[in-house]
Amino acid sequence: MRKPIIAANWKMNMDTVTGYELMDDMLDELDAIEDVEVVICPPFILLESFAELFDGTGLYLGAQDMFWEERGAYTGEISPLMLRGMCDYVIVGHSERRQYFGETDETVRRKVDAALAYELKPIVCVGENLQQNEAGETLEVIHRQVTAAFYEMDNAKVPDCVIAYEPIWAIGTGRPATGEGANQVIGAIRQKILELHGEDAAYAMRIQYGGSVNEGNIAEFISQPEIDGALVGGASLNAEQFVRIVAITNEVKRSR
Ligand code: PEP
């Protein structure tokens, strides 16, 4: 049985004061929910203080991105070496990075490899845009992105990775996919992992849905057999909402 995983992507929101307050408002309640892995991905400026705050709790810390080189003349970048030991996870290939910062399947792969080399678990984001969706190209896009991120990876490393299926048209739009639709695509992602890495790796790997998840629709996603959790943007900035999302995930998965 795969442990459900809910990750909060705060994006470029919150500062050192408001971020700390938000975390303080939900930490105890999140920590009390033991059967869901909760990963908080705040901006870089909060990582160090959250690492201290989470010490001794069951919460996990994630970065929203990183570069693949260890050190050097890369102004503005954060390296896997800097994150190792501080973070557990790192989001890689989010569609906003692909769209606004020129990330490609190749750079995403370099980041996935770097994360694993530095004991960070990558949350690899994949997903089609609206045009591709309407043209019926969803599976083609997904297969290309998943293959680029995972081909020839050591099978034993695959379960350390998480995939977030995030249709771009559903991110921040208030127009989520349907549970059934997301389940189908996630099933196809698992099938691709099976082809690349075999049954054990495919069965063990956790695959999330992301895109306008909130407390009103999380049950629809999490009750699907292929969906192991969610990557949550907007709704993770509200303590009450986010705690509800995690609590509902716990209830639904326990009842199955
Ligand atoms: C995201 O950015 O990963 C995301 C899923 O955002 P939202 O929940 O706001 O759609």
Side-chain angles (χ1 to χ4, degrees), residues 9 11 94 96 125 166 170-174 210-213 231-235:
N9 175 13
K11 311 193 189 194
H94 191 282
E96 288 151 15
C125 300
E166 299 208 302
I171 296 179
T173 59
S212 297
V213 167
L231 180 54
V232 185

Side-chain angles (χ1 to χ4, degrees), residues 2-22:
R2 297 181 291 267
K3 187 169 185 178
I5 175 166
I6 301 287
N9 175 13
W10 287 8
K11 311 193 189 194
M12 199 175 69
N13 295 295
M14 301 293 149
D15 54 38
T16 50
V17 175
T18 56
Y20 212 85
E21 281 168 3
L22 173 61

